[in-house]
Amino acid sequence: MVFEVKNICCIGAGYVGGPSMAVIAKNCPDIQINVVDINIERIERWNDKNLKNLPIYEPGLEEIVKKCRGKNLHFSKNVNLNIANADMIFISVNTPTKTKGLGAGFASDLKWIEKSAREISKYAKGKTIIVEKSTLPVKTASTIKKILYSTSENSSDKNEKTFYILSNPEFLAEGSAIKDLDNPDRVLIGGEDEEAIKALSNLYIKWIDKEKILTTNLWSSELSKLISNAFLAQRISSINSVSAICEATGADIKEVSMAIGSDKRIGKFFLNAGPGFGGSCFKKDILNLIYICKHYGLDKVADYWEQVININSWQISRITQIIVEKLFGTVSGKRLVILGFSFKANTNDTRESPAIYICQKLMIEGGNLIIYDPKVDYSQIENDLNKKMASIEEIDHSEGEWYKSKNIYNAVQDADAVILLTEWDQFINLDWERISNSMRKPSWIFDTRYLLDPRIISSININYWRIGYGDKRGI
Ligand code: UDX
Ligand code: ADP
């Protein structure tokens, strides 16, 4: 049978569901797309007339929402109705690591997936293609299938429901999501039913070359997503481990990255040393992989991947320790300016951001933090640090407090250190001489992203430490 997709429902209006559906809507004007979420505030923000209030910041997203919203892209809290009307349903709900119970600390919590499957089973009508978009443990499709069929067996209209399950993992990176969705390296579709696979491919071929659409069985597709993220994270831990060797030996991580990246077999991308990887995927997916390995008795393989996470945690602690040591072994009562709080540039997402851990550790040491980030709200920082924001007056008379500033030049007044944690472009061209002149001497810049131009900084009266290089002068 041939599927004609006219109406899509996406469950989950988050960092994956929102941008992915916006790009499908832009490229498939004949298809109606309803993105639904149980988080009503999130839906209200997606529908806000002022596009600056969208719940997610992604370059290029506002323009698409402006063009398509109300035409073929809709955001709604009415989950059941939109499931009932859909011929294709994307599941883009959150799957964080379990914090308690069986597999706690490693396995993904699938309660939101399960809830979605139960809702689909109850409300879907006729033939429906279910597409897994969220990153999931291998074999989740079989769990979804069991729920769909066992629940619908109890329903009075069971004969009218047929489900086709596909895995179509998302490879977008935050901050470049729209670019990645517009021009992906590949689209992966795993499944058993050829017509369902064709129906989904037909959406993508509206703007993506056929050759880029790869089809596999369900389990290969689910596993490939985990392994892609594990390989990428491994690369970051590898280069971060080398950053420490560079600081110890006098080598320069930029030069080493350039030298090794020129070998085509290694490749030049994804070799920037930094404060450690963050984001919602890398750690979660590797923990998941470790859990699967242990489940199948592959303990040595589990140990291997666990090292990627261990190096990441070590890099975060190592940086914090360097900061404290350079500031004469104590940051107590000192004013430390944090530049960037999101886990990478061009996103307001802070999940697993190294900034969270570094800030918490510095506050435990008594440091007073003035945090600046162009896109992260102070309320998000409060949640992440689990601590209310102090007033600027309190900052000067206490220890271990934080305050969010809207102005970097005010923030650096009498500060002992500027700690650059996220690679926002706007930090490169700050007036570093003016900043240095406002700070208390001896003052420091800690550049954990190797972002600033060392030649400019070396002409200024300030101590400068950067990742994978250290604090040597004479460039
Ligand atoms: C990642 C994958 O790239 C994407 O394919 C998948 O769908 C989701 O997970 P994301 O986490 O959004 O995407 O961002 P990514 O660009 O991969 O960065 C992850 C972390 O690694 C960030 O904290 C980033 O700062 C860090 N990173 C990345 C580095 O430290 N150095 C680099 O060279 C690249
Ligand atoms: P991701 O980065 O994977 O997109 P997010 O947390 O940003 O993760 O988004 C997932 C969204 O899914 C959240 O907004 C959450 O409220 C929503 N969600 C979770 N479970 C359900 C459900 N059963 N029905 C509708 N929306 C859901």
Side-chain angles (χ1 to χ4, degrees):
M1 64 155 281
V2 179
F3 283 102
E4 204 192 346
V5 177
K6 290 253 166 249
N7 204 313
I8 289 176
C9 171
C10 173
I11 306 180
Y15 284 89
V16 172
S20 307
M21 293 305 119
V23 171
I24 296 180
K26 179 181 79 167
N27 290 292
C28 305
D30 298 335
I31 297 177
Q32 287 296 315
I33 300 177
N34 291 284
V35 190
V36 298
D37 206 296
I38 40 176
N39 180 338
I40 292 168
E41 192 218 323
R42 213 170 212 186
I43 290 296
E44 279 168 0
R45 288 185 65 183
W46 277 111
N47 285 322
D48 201 310
K49 279 204 182 75
N50 181 355
L51 291 166
K52 298 277 168 249
N53 292 336
L54 294 184
I56 284 166
Y57 172 73
E58 269 297 337
L61 180 63
E62 267 176 48
E63 289 78 358
I64 305 179
V65 172
K66 187 172 173 199
K67 187 170 163 224
C68 302
R69 193 175 60 187
K71 295 192 179 99
N72 68 329
L73 177 65
H74 314 275
F75 297 92
S76 164
K77 55 186 183 209
N78 199 335
V79 179
N80 306 347
L81 177 75
N82 285 298
I83 287 177
N85 290 338
D87 0 78
M88 182 177 273
I89 300 174
F90 286 84
I91 305 183
S92 300
V93 299
N94 34 331
T95 52
T97 306
K98 275 181 92 171
T99 51
K100 53 184 181 208
L102 190 68
F106 287 93
S108 276
D109 193 340
L110 295 182
K111 72 176 175 203
W112 292 276
I113 292 282
E114 193 179 323
K115 188 167 188 297
S116 306
R118 288 185 193 282
E119 276 155 358
I120 294 170
S121 157
K122 197 159 168 201
Y123 297 103
K125 292 196 175 129
K127 295 182 169 48
T128 314
I129 300 175
I130 316 293
V131 187
E132 296 175 344
K133 259 274 164 237
S134 320
T135 309
L136 296 165
V138 185
K139 298 279 179 185
T140 303
S142 75
T143 309
I144 295 179
K145 207 173 193 172
K146 277 183 204 142
I147 296 171
L148 289 175
Y149 282 110
S150 57
T151 319
S152 63
E153 265 168 22
N154 300 330
S155 134
S156 54
D157 60 349
K158 63 182 169 192
N159 295 325
E160 292 166 28
K161 299 189 195 210
T162 317
F163 300 108
Y164 304 86
I165 300 170
L166 300 177
S167 156
N168 174 219
E170 192 44 75
F171 294 107
L172 65 83
E174 288 175 30
S176 57
I178 303 301
K179 215 163 67 143
D180 298 340
L181 287 159
D182 270 337
N183 187 19
D185 288 345
R186 78 306 207 184
V187 170
L188 184 57
I189 303 178
E192 288 153 2
D193 186 275
E194 298 228 337
E195 291 306 325
I197 294 175
K198 200 163 160 200
L200 183 56
S201 307
N202 283 344
L203 288 187
Y204 288 116
I205 55 174
K206 299 252 166 62
W207 77 99
I208 296 163
D209 285 348
K210 251 189 180 147
E211 294 71 44
K212 285 188 176 177
I213 301 176
L214 314 179
T215 53
T216 65
N217 75 31
L218 267 171
W219 324 127
S220 301
S221 172
E222 287 181 340
L223 183 62
S224 301
K225 167 72 192 210
L226 287 189
I227 301 298
S228 292
N229 278 344
F231 264 61
L232 291 169
Q234 179 200 45
R235 227 170 131 87
I236 305 304
S237 279
S238 298
I239 203 71
N240 283 344
S241 73
V242 176
S243 73
I245 309 177
C246 288
E247 288 157 33
T249 57
D252 181 333
I253 192 70
K254 261 278 168 348
E255 293 175 355
V256 174
S257 296
M258 192 247 307
I260 63 169
S262 310
D263 183 330
K264 282 202 194 73
R265 292 168 303 174
I266 297 174
K268 63 182 179 187
F269 298 108
F270 240 72
L271 281 179
N272 296 319
F277 57 74
S280 69
C281 282
F282 283 179
K283 188 172 169 192
K284 179 185 80 174
D285 288 354
I286 295 181
L287 289 171
N288 228 317
L289 190 57
I290 294 168
Y291 188 67
I292 294 168
C293 293
K294 288 190 174 159
H295 173 80
Y296 288 107
L298 301 168
D299 288 3
K300 287 282 171 217
V301 185
D303 292 348
Y304 173 76
W305 288 107
E306 196 153 24
Q307 282 308 313
V308 173
I309 294 184
N310 291 345
I311 286 287
N312 201 53
S313 311
W314 176 74
Q315 181 81 339
I316 293 171
S317 319
R318 185 176 89 76
I319 286 173
T320 318
Q321 201 177 328
I322 288 171
I323 294 169
V324 176
E325 278 167 8
K326 299 278 181 209
L327 294 174
F328 307 118
T330 176
V331 292
S332 194
K334 290 182 179 166
R335 184 185 272 219
L336 311 174
V337 175
I338 304 291
L339 292 189
F341 197 81
S342 55
F343 79 96
K344 62 185 279 197
N346 298 318
T347 177
N348 60 346
D349 194 352
T350 60
R351 286 176 290 180
E352 295 294 335
S353 178
I356 301 173
Y357 305 102
I358 293 175
C359 287
Q360 279 173 335
K361 286 184 178 173
L362 290 172
M363 284 195 295
I364 290 169
E365 294 275 344
N368 287 322
L369 312 182
I370 314 272
I371 301 174
Y372 172 88
D373 188 287
K375 292 291 173 196
V376 180
D377 285 344
Y378 87 92
S379 56
Q380 183 61 48
I381 302 177
E382 280 190 343
N383 280 340
D384 291 333
L385 296 180
N386 201 12
K387 191 172 168 70
K388 289 260 170 240
M389 182 168 89
S391 68
I392 189 72
E393 292 75 28
E394 279 172 291
I395 286 280
D396 290 329
H397 302 101
S398 49
E399 289 180 0
E401 299 292 340
W402 71 274
Y403 172 80
K404 178 161 191 267
S405 172
K406 290 194 173 98
N407 183 307
I408 297 176
Y409 296 104
N410 292 344
V412 294
Q413 208 64 43
D414 295 322
D416 294 276
V418 172
I419 304 165
L420 202 152
L421 295 181
T422 314
E423 74 284 21
W424 288 98
D425 267 352
Q426 59 175 263
F427 299 153
I428 300 174
N429 295 319
L430 289 170
D431 183 344
W432 285 100
E433 184 151 25
R434 179 177 162 196
I435 289 175
S436 167
N437 290 340
S438 317
M439 293 172 72
R440 190 166 81 147
K441 300 292 163 200
S443 40
W444 280 87
I445 299 172
F446 295 95
D447 180 358
T448 71
R449 295 279 183 173
Y450 207 128
L451 188 69
L452 306 182
D453 183 342
R455 285 164 305 185
I456 294 178
I457 305 298
S458 65
S459 65
I460 297 169
N461 175 25
I462 194 160
N463 295 300
Y464 179 46
W465 177 92
R466 66 183 191 272
I467 194 90
Y469 187 89
D471 59 358
K472 296 170 286 292
R473 287 295 192 127
I475 299 126

